[in-house]
Amino acid sequence: MTTREQMAAAVAEIRTRMADAARSAGRRPGDVLLCAACKTRTVEEVKDSATLDIDLFGENHVQELVEKTDAGAYLGKPGHFIGHLQTNKVNKVVGRAAMIESVDSLRLMDKIEAAAQRLDLVQDILIEINIGDEASKSGVSPEALWELTDAAEACGHLRLRGLMAIPPADATEDETRAFFARMRELLEQTRTRGYARAQLDTLSMGMSGDYEAAIREGATIVRIGTAIYGARDYSHKA
Ligand SMILES: *Cc1c(COP(=O)(O)O)cnc(C)c1O
């Protein structure tokens, strides 16, 4: 358990480093949002962190999203879904998550569209790119991206906001930076497709170990877990 004081110091340092990275790239610090990736953290920890300078929360597991939104753990700040989403759990996420960052198939998109239609709302989404072409990772290949962006544009209850990625964990600093740069190119290419409904303002990339590099390459959301909350403890989990 990380104390509120420890989290406050961590968030202050992260904010300073985020701002420095933004300025060094000629960007405004206010253009980059801090998402606290709070998987495995308790409602109490998340509530404590929500009083700090964090813009939004990211959940990987549907059960945690349900538990924490129902408990008001984010203190009114938005929650994003950032993990792999199974189609049979879509109904629990649409209406709870302000944005689903990890859309990676037409089938999933169709389910989200149907759920959003039933609730009469427009669901913001990002498309997750498997930027390192890893067999073990979710996300679509860059080659398959236009099929999904075209489909999103045609769904009346989806609003495509941009792209998300997690580069390979074993990549070097240079490789990671190249992956981030490629993501920015992909977002720029998506913009040139001239969609009328999409609002392509979001690039979600960068975690505890590489968020400054991500910001220098254009990230508008960085998703940070361990640097805020400390190391994750999975020992008591099934
Ligand atoms: C856990 C997680 C993060 C944060 O990772 P840290 O290394 O703890 O900062 C970011 N994005 C996703 C999708 C995650 O699952």
Side-chain angles (χ1 to χ4, degrees):
M1 171 98 189
T2 311
T3 67
R4 189 181 176 285
E5 286 66 35
Q6 287 170 317
M7 289 192 284
V11 169
E13 185 191 331
I14 291 164
R15 280 292 185 185
T16 301
R17 291 170 58 169
M18 285 175 65
D20 288 347
R23 284 193 205 95
S24 77
R27 305 183 58 204
R28 285 178 306 195
D31 292 349
V32 189
L33 300 175
L34 173 55
C35 167
C38 58
K39 56 182 174 269
T40 79
R41 315 300 174 173
T42 65
V43 166
E44 287 314 310
E45 278 176 291
V46 172
K47 266 190 187 162
D48 279 349
S49 67
T51 65
L52 304 171
D53 191 8
I54 286 168
D55 295 297
L56 60 113
F57 291 86
E59 296 288 357
N60 289 73
H61 301 289
V62 173
Q63 195 42 50
E64 286 191 58
L65 176 74
V66 170
E67 186 194 347
K68 289 173 204 166
T69 50
D70 290 0
Y74 311 143
L75 304 183
K77 293 179 177 180
H80 287 192
F81 194 79
I82 64 175
H84 180 65
L85 181 53
Q86 291 167 270
T87 50
N88 63 347
K89 294 187 177 163
V90 161
N91 287 336
K92 293 196 162 111
V93 175
V94 174
R96 276 196 177 86
M99 189 183 285
I100 302 174
E101 296 197 8
S102 42
V103 177
D104 65 353
S105 73
L106 288 174
R107 206 166 98 84
L108 179 59
M109 206 179 268
D110 285 344
K111 297 275 183 190
I112 296 170
E113 166 70 10
Q117 182 166 21
R118 273 195 300 278
L119 293 174
D120 193 25
L121 55 79
V122 175
Q123 177 68 61
D124 278 338
I125 62 165
L126 303 180
I127 292 173
E128 180 175 355
I129 307 287
N130 185 353
I131 194 66
D133 195 22
E134 296 172 279
S136 62
K137 279 259 179 77
S138 45
V140 295
S141 67
E143 294 70 39
L145 178 56
W146 310 134
E147 190 185 10
L148 267 77
T149 58
D150 288 353
E153 179 70 10
C155 287
H157 298 81
L158 301 183
R159 180 167 45 226
L160 179 63
R161 297 289 301 273
L163 307 176
M164 181 270 231
I166 310 169
D170 60 1
T172 65
E173 243 174 77
D174 284 350
E175 287 165 348
T176 300
R177 186 150 190 173
F179 285 130
F180 289 148
R182 177 91 179 99
M183 286 297 295
R184 184 178 52 190
E185 279 171 21
L186 287 171
L187 182 66
E188 279 162 10
Q189 286 169 19
T190 308
R191 288 190 180 122
T192 65
R193 293 181 72 82
Y195 298 127
R197 294 185 51 258
Q199 185 184 319
L200 298 167
D201 56 7
T202 303
L203 199 46
S204 176
M205 58 188 194
M207 316 202 303
S208 292
D210 55 20
Y211 64 91
E212 291 157 291
I215 290 169
R216 286 192 291 267
E217 297 301 332
T220 66
I221 298 177
V222 293
R223 307 176 311 267
I224 300 187
T226 45
I228 296 173
Y229 298 104
R232 280 180 289 274
D233 176 9
Y234 290 103
S235 59
H236 55 284
K237 296 265 162 172

